[in-house]
Amino acid sequence: MAETEEPQLTTLAQRIAALNSQKNFQAPPSVAGKRPPPPPPPARSLTEGTNGLKTASTAAAEKSPTIPPRPVRAATARVPPPLPRRTTGQEDGDQAPAPSPGRLAPPPLPSRNSQQDTPPRLPTRRPSTQTLSVRRNSNASDVSQLSTVSSLSLNHTKSTASNGTSDKQGPRRLPPPLEQAKLPPLPPTRRELDAKANEAANNTPSLPPRRIAEAPRPSLPPRLPSRPANSPAVVLPEQPSPALPARRLPPPPASFRPKSALESGFNSGARKASPPPVPPPIPLSSRPTVAQIDAVATRTSSAPALATQNCLHCRDFSGPDTLAAQHPTSSLPRHGVDPISYLAHTLCSPFPSHTDKARAIFAWCHHNIVYDVYGLFNNCIPRGQTPAETIFSGKAVCEGFARVYEAVATRAGLGCVIVTGHGKGFGFSPVKAGQPPPKPDPTGHAWNAVRIDGGEWKLIDPCWGAGALCNGEYSQRFAAECFTMSNEQFGTRHFPSDDRHWYRKDGRAVSWTEYIVGPIGDEPAEWMGDATREGLDESNFAPMQKKLSVHGGGTVRFQFAKVCEHWDPERNGQGKQMLFGLKIEGLDGRKGDIIPLENDGFWHYLDVDARDLGAPGQKVLLVAFTNIDGKSARGLTKEQWLQKKGRCGYSYSFLVRWELV
């Protein structure tokens, strides 16, 4: 459908006439004394250039359409005269109306000649040097381009030439919009990066939970491959610390002489002497290197330290023993705090070793609980006491000691049980030779079995370790051997009512007869506690029987071994090595003397003629020199004693006692 062209009104008079013809508005009344507003400036018309936009070069050729006056509401009382008609030039032939009588006529408006009123021509607009690629990719660029086109030119399709003629043109069309610039993509925002990361995490298959690698268990050294005959070198594998050497045998008695081969009966017939065999050659190819020898020497030198930790006789218990002495019963809280839990935490938490924890409880019982001698002899021992009541009372018999130890050890996380049975303590009489053993009666005593390092069950006696009852009187002394002695040695003085509580390495249960008679089948020698504290082994000495015959003749060997190979008197004992001597009564009991014993580092020994021991009924004693010339005798040697013998004062203590028959 073709568009309808609207009539073009070029003058103000034509516009007023057109408005009046519509009868919608009335001409505003003329106001006396007011000057009409000046005509609007001519609008510049733009013509389309090479770039699709109208330039200002032809704006003067076209006249801007004038704006009609605003309609004014008609007056009811007085109708003002109509405004004079404005003309734009003399060529229209329109004359201005004569002024109304009585009023001053306004000065005539200047004629609007398009040729005279044409504004100066603007210079030609230079094309923009800005490239489209740098424009913003937004709608604002399109609006800025469209805003350069006059809204008046969009509503008109006919332009007026400079000579006043108008040439008809087709409908006015908008220029094509500029294409949006293709800018490089902006970097992704933080929200977009987080969204991509979450999406990648959701799409990634979940890995199995990572297991924490446990500490590798020590493995056995690899087996050596078969070595050829001509091996260039020998590679020694890593081996555990070498085993301790076997215990050295004591030197033979002085009167003993080994028999020769002829005396042993190996010369019964004449035999032809054969040449000595030729020894095989020494394999030089398998000789170890110097580095390998040094490695073995290093492992050998570190073996005593490791063995010391595993040996209860030589282990350093100064830490647990010192801690136990620092917490007496008077320091325990008595209100609101369980004493068992308090002791378990105070005594055991500082030590990671189970052996040290067990030793700390053992030492604490020695310092804070005494044997109830009065209750034992007067048959008034309190029954049914709890371990806490026993702790605060400070008195107990063997059962009370065992219950306190078991309660604290269990609360500290140690495996511990109470063992009941028979003990060779106060009131026990050894069986004499030729007498039958008494009937089995494994009652009357109680002790404990506790798990130490390595899960080993260790038999201990906290009651006997705290002191001893002798001649009706209680002597409070710390007997460490009741904690350190082996289970086999412990079983020579304790008989459990349950055979499962022997805990021997061989797994054997000792019979009642074997327990009563003892390992020697006779009454043993009287062993003092000081001998054990000086590092002597109660289970490895001779003679072990109590009675010694002086009429049998011959030589009697007295020998004593240390509790272990690596026992050191200064590190594990009371100080420097003491000098041991044998106190005898001499020939027929008339020449008393103290003879020092020999020492080879492990054995203390002495050979004495039986008739030189004394007369029947007398005693033979093993003594240890304690003082000489008013000074400590520790570190005294045999040579020093022989030089001062008979010229100095001295004192000694008893260790072992025998009887002469």
Side-chain angles (χ1 to χ4, degrees):
M1 178 182 291
E3 296 182 359
T4 304
E5 297 183 0
E6 296 180 359
Q8 301 294 327
L9 303 178
T10 58
T11 62
L12 180 60
Q14 293 176 359
R15 287 180 176 272
I16 294 174
L19 291 173
N20 293 332
S21 63
Q22 294 179 2
K23 298 181 180 182
N24 293 329
F25 300 95
Q26 294 181 0
S30 60
V31 181
K34 288 188 178 181
R35 189 174 180 179
R44 290 179 297 180
S45 177
L46 300 178
T47 59
E48 294 183 359
T50 58
N51 56 356
L53 299 175
K54 288 185 179 182
T55 62
S57 59
T58 58
E62 297 179 0
K63 292 184 179 180
S64 175
T66 58
I67 300 175
R70 290 183 296 180
V72 181
R73 183 178 299 174
T76 57
R78 181 180 179 182
V79 178
L83 292 176
R85 300 181 65 182
R86 298 177 64 181
T87 179
T88 58
Q90 298 295 335
E91 68 274 10
D92 296 335
D94 297 332
Q95 300 293 333
S100 59
R103 290 192 179 186
L104 294 177
L109 295 175
S111 61
R112 300 185 63 179
N113 192 347
S114 61
Q115 295 180 354
Q116 296 179 1
D117 298 337
T118 301
R121 180 175 299 180
L122 297 176
T124 306
R125 185 177 182 180
R126 296 179 181 179
S128 176
T129 59
Q130 184 178 6
T131 59
L132 296 177
S133 60
V134 299
R135 294 183 181 273
R136 289 187 178 180
N137 189 9
S138 62
N139 295 332
S141 61
D142 297 341
V143 174
S144 62
Q145 295 296 330
L146 296 176
S147 63
T148 58
V149 183
S150 175
S151 60
L152 295 177
S153 62
L154 298 177
N155 298 327
H156 301 84
T157 58
K158 183 185 291 186
S159 62
T160 305
S162 60
N163 54 3
T165 62
S166 60
D167 35 346
K168 296 182 179 181
Q169 297 179 359
R172 188 66 174 271
R173 300 181 181 276
L174 294 175
L178 297 176
E179 294 182 358
Q180 296 182 358
K182 296 182 179 179
L183 301 177
L186 296 176
T189 61
R190 191 173 208 177
R191 183 177 300 176
E192 295 175 353
L193 292 177
D194 295 343
K196 289 182 179 180
N198 294 337
E199 183 179 359
N202 295 334
N203 296 335
T204 303
S206 60
L207 298 176
R210 187 176 182 182
R211 298 181 60 185
I212 300 176
E214 299 179 355
R217 296 182 179 179
S219 59
L220 295 177
R223 180 177 295 178
L224 288 177
S226 58
R227 190 171 55 198
N230 298 326
S231 175
V234 178
V235 179
L236 296 179
E238 289 293 334
Q239 298 180 356
S241 58
L244 295 176
R247 290 188 175 182
R248 291 172 290 180
L249 296 176
S255 61
F256 173 77
R257 184 179 64 84
K259 295 182 179 181
S260 64
L262 296 178
E263 295 174 344
S264 301
F266 290 99
N267 194 24
S268 58
R271 296 183 181 180
K272 186 177 180 179
S274 59
V278 179
I282 299 176
L284 301 179
S285 60
S286 61
R287 180 177 296 175
T289 63
V290 177
Q292 294 169 349
I293 296 176
D294 293 341
V296 174
T298 302
R299 292 197 300 268
T300 305
S301 61
S302 62
L306 180 61
T308 301
Q309 285 297 107
N310 296 332
C311 178
L312 296 181
H313 297 285
C314 304
R315 188 183 179 112
D316 183 14
F317 288 114
S318 58
D321 294 346
T322 303
L323 181 64
Q326 295 175 350
H327 295 278
T329 305
S330 58
S331 65
L332 300 182
R334 294 179 177 268
H335 302 286
V337 179
D338 182 16
I340 303 300
S341 301
Y342 180 84
L343 286 175
H345 175 73
T346 304
L347 299 177
C348 301
S349 60
F351 307 106
S353 170
H354 287 193
T355 303
D356 291 340
K357 294 179 181 181
R359 175 61 177 246
I361 305 172
F362 181 86
W364 187 90
C365 292
H366 155 68
H367 289 291
N368 298 276
I369 303 178
V370 297
Y371 196 85
D372 189 4
V373 181
Y374 180 84
L376 176 66
F377 291 137
N378 293 276
N379 197 19
C380 58
I381 300 174
R383 302 294 181 181
Q385 279 190 341
T386 63
E389 294 173 347
T390 303
I391 290 174
F392 288 123
S393 67
K395 297 185 299 181
V397 292
C398 55
E399 182 182 2
F401 278 90
R403 291 189 180 278
V404 170
Y405 189 95
E406 187 264 346
V408 178
T410 304
R411 191 68 56 87
L414 302 178
C416 184
V417 295
I418 299 176
V419 184
T420 59
H422 183 272
K424 295 180 180 179
F426 179 78
F428 172 76
S429 298
V431 178
K432 297 181 180 181
Q435 291 183 353
K439 295 182 179 180
D441 185 19
T443 58
H445 192 44
W447 57 94
N448 295 97
V450 61
R451 281 190 181 273
I452 58 175
D453 294 343
E456 176 186 357
W457 282 101
K458 180 69 184 67
L459 294 173
I460 62 173
D461 194 337
C463 178
W464 290 2
L469 187 62
C470 182
N471 298 328
E473 295 182 0
Y474 180 74
S475 174
Q476 187 176 10
R477 65 176 183 85
F478 185 62
E481 64 272 12
C482 293
F483 183 88
T484 59
M485 70 173 61
S486 64
N487 291 346
E488 288 76 12
Q489 181 65 22
F490 193 92
T492 60
R493 302 177 61 188
H494 298 75
F495 188 90
S497 58
D498 191 342
D499 290 341
R500 296 176 299 176
H501 294 157
W502 283 101
Y503 301 114
R504 295 171 57 97
K505 292 183 178 179
D506 56 7
R508 188 173 66 91
V510 180
S511 64
W512 173 260
T513 302
E514 183 181 356
Y515 162 74
I516 292 297
V517 174
I520 61 176
D522 198 354
E523 186 177 358
E526 188 177 353
W527 185 271
M528 312 295 180
D530 291 338
T532 303
R533 284 192 290 272
E534 292 301 329
L536 299 182
D537 187 5
E538 185 179 358
S539 63
N540 192 8
F541 76 99
M544 297 189 70
Q545 64 275 14
K546 183 177 182 180
K547 299 183 182 299
L548 302 179
S549 176
V550 296
H551 299 293
T555 302
V556 180
R557 162 62 65 95
F558 295 87
Q559 63 184 22
F560 307 89
K562 295 196 304 183
V563 292
C564 62
E565 292 280 352
H566 37 76
W567 193 89
D568 183 79
E570 296 189 40
R571 184 180 67 248
N572 309 114
Q574 307 296 324
K576 293 182 179 180
Q577 180 64 58
M578 300 185 72
L579 179 63
F580 301 133
L582 190 67
K583 186 178 183 303
I584 60 178
E585 298 298 332
L587 182 62
D588 296 334
R590 297 190 299 266
K591 296 181 179 180
D593 194 5
I594 298 179
I595 306 174
L597 273 66
E598 301 287 345
N599 180 21
D600 63 355
F602 182 78
W603 291 96
H604 301 269
Y605 60 93
L606 179 65
D607 295 327
V608 184
D609 290 337
R611 61 178 183 172
D612 292 336
L613 294 177
Q618 294 180 337
K619 291 180 174 40
V620 177
L621 302 172
L622 178 69
V623 299
F625 293 97
T626 57
N627 290 281
I628 184 169
D629 282 339
K631 299 180 181 179
S632 174
R634 288 190 177 275
L636 181 68
T637 63
K638 177 182 177 181
E639 291 75 15
Q640 293 174 348
W641 161 251
L642 294 177
Q643 291 177 0
K644 295 183 178 182
K645 184 178 180 180
R647 294 179 295 177
C648 63
Y650 58 90
S651 61
Y652 52 82
S653 61
F654 299 103
L655 301 181
V656 187
R657 182 184 290 116
W658 296 267
E659 291 182 3
L660 298 178
V661 293

